[in-house]
Amino acid sequence: MSNLKDIKRKIKSVQNTQKTTRAMKLVSTAKLRKAEEAARYSRVYALKINEVLSEIAYKINQYASVAAESKFFNTKEKIEKVDIIFVTADKGLCGGFNVQSIKTVRNMIEEFKSKKIKVRLRAIGKKGIEFFNFQGVDLLESYVGVSSSPTYEKAQGIIKEAIDDFLSGATDKVILVHNGYKNMISQEIRVNEIVPIEPAKIIGVETNSLMEFEPEDNYSQILNELLQKYFEYSMYYALIDSLAAEHSARMQAMDNATNNAKERVGQLNLAYNKARQQSITTELIEIISGVESMK
């Protein structure tokens, strides 16, 4: 009888877990719709600003002196220090979402160290911060509460510090890493080298640009202002994209957990029925044996 009680207790526990995971799945599904819409609109803007920047970068061939003066386009022959800005979630229960980002950052650190390049980390998200703190890795900056509720102002502040360090010479390269939204069932790691900028990488396919600047002596000012907007929006889009991917990963994880709980309940019910039948059979045998002994 005690065995039956234990099984019933386990069934009740698993059923409660199943209710929780089902509720979390529904919440993530609702949040995903909103985050996916924001990511889609943000991607449209990001593509447009990249398109404009591509045309301007193409003009650099005609304004070589401007490119030479701009620190954003100057690539050192020997890179000594690199800043990595990486985005993880503030919460768990989202499968391997955070693990993939952390693994990518660790591989990059090992690769840069093998080349004797110093790496500085700017961590966004509680899970990534906790991991590297546990590993004893020093973090240059830590941001909690940003990945779960991204705003343009927060993104602007984060990227500004990194760009200012680049302009001051404190670092030679800034790289942005996040796990991005691909579709409802998959995510993909995205690595974006923010600065320095190589015009050839931005342009893609070289075409004749019809863009003109008047007056031409303000070309450098226009370029720097557009690049600043490009940096800020790249950071903001990474946060929005990461949030959509996080909700997608959590929805999948909770769906799998719900299905596993359902399967476990079925196994426990089968075990309960077998134990109950065995108990009834034992009682019948005892009754029959008692009646036979009394004859």
Side-chain angles (χ1 to χ4, degrees):
M1 187 63 70
S2 60
N3 187 36
L4 291 176
K5 290 181 179 179
D6 290 340
I7 295 176
K8 289 188 70 174
R9 192 181 301 113
K10 289 179 181 179
I11 292 174
K12 186 66 175 178
S13 176
V14 175
Q15 286 176 337
N16 290 336
T17 301
Q18 185 180 10
K19 291 178 182 178
T20 302
T21 55
R22 185 185 292 114
M24 291 184 67
K25 176 193 171 183
L26 294 175
V27 171
S28 295
T29 302
K31 289 183 177 181
L32 173 60
R33 293 193 185 111
K34 184 177 180 180
E36 182 185 14
E37 185 178 3
R40 185 172 64 253
Y41 290 150
S42 298
R43 179 171 177 79
V44 172
Y45 185 89
L47 290 175
K48 180 56 66 174
I49 197 172
N50 284 344
E51 180 183 335
V52 175
L53 186 60
S54 297
E55 290 194 61
I56 294 180
Y58 183 76
K59 283 285 187 178
I60 289 177
N61 294 327
Q62 303 175 24
Y63 297 88
S65 60
V66 176
E69 293 174 0
S70 177
K71 291 185 178 180
F72 294 128
F73 292 93
N74 289 335
T75 304
K76 288 186 176 180
E77 294 183 2
K78 184 178 180 181
I79 302 296
E80 297 179 352
K81 290 168 287 186
V82 174
D83 273 9
I84 298 178
I85 307 173
F86 67 95
V87 184
T88 57
D90 288 323
K91 300 176 182 178
L93 298 177
C94 47
F97 174 78
N98 295 310
V99 175
Q100 293 177 20
S101 299
I102 291 171
K103 182 179 179 181
T104 300
V105 174
R106 292 185 68 186
N107 291 339
M108 292 176 67
I109 292 174
E110 292 300 323
E111 181 181 353
F112 283 125
K113 282 186 176 180
S114 66
K115 299 177 181 178
K116 297 182 180 180
I117 298 175
K118 182 180 178 181
V119 178
R120 307 192 309 176
L121 298 179
R122 299 178 187 267
I124 303 174
K126 187 177 179 181
K127 291 303 176 180
I129 294 171
E130 288 178 345
F131 175 84
F132 283 103
N133 283 338
F134 180 77
Q135 295 292 324
V137 179
D138 294 331
L139 300 175
L140 182 63
E141 296 289 347
S142 301
Y143 304 92
V144 178
V146 176
S147 57
S148 55
S149 57
T151 64
Y152 190 84
E153 290 73 20
K154 293 177 182 177
Q156 193 176 33
I158 294 172
I159 199 65
K160 184 179 184 303
E161 294 182 5
I163 296 300
D164 287 346
D165 282 354
F166 175 80
L167 292 176
S168 67
T171 184
D172 302 322
K173 181 181 289 189
V174 178
I175 302 175
L176 179 58
V177 179
H178 76 281
N179 200 353
Y181 178 81
K182 188 175 182 181
N183 51 51
M184 293 282 287
I185 60 173
S186 62
Q187 306 82 39
E188 62 180 0
I189 293 295
R190 292 171 182 167
V191 179
N192 183 13
E193 292 188 9
I194 302 295
V195 283
I197 297 174
E198 295 182 28
K201 289 185 177 181
I202 304 176
I203 295 169
V205 179
E206 294 188 4
T207 56
N208 292 326
S209 173
L210 301 177
M211 186 177 293
E212 298 293 340
F213 297 92
E214 294 181 2
E216 293 185 359
D217 56 359
N218 284 340
Y219 183 84
S220 179
Q221 180 182 353
I222 294 173
L223 178 62
N224 288 332
E225 289 181 1
L226 181 61
L227 285 173
Q228 195 66 37
K229 184 64 67 175
Y230 165 74
F231 298 144
E232 294 171 357
Y233 208 83
S234 294
M235 185 72 253
Y236 177 65
Y237 175 68
L239 295 175
I240 293 292
D241 193 34
S242 176
L243 182 61
E246 177 190 342
H247 289 315
S248 172
R250 184 171 291 111
M251 182 187 71
Q252 282 184 278
M254 293 302 99
D255 183 52
N256 292 334
T258 301
N259 292 335
N260 290 339
K262 182 180 180 180
E263 182 180 349
R264 182 57 179 161
V265 168
Q267 294 173 349
L268 289 172
N269 279 327
L270 181 62
Y272 177 82
N273 291 333
K274 287 182 178 180
R276 185 168 175 271
Q277 289 175 358
Q278 184 178 2
S279 176
I280 293 172
T281 302
T282 301
E283 290 179 3
L284 287 174
I285 292 174
E286 290 176 353
I287 293 172
I288 294 172
S289 299
V291 171
E292 289 296 327
S293 65
M294 291 176 64
K295 290 182 179 180

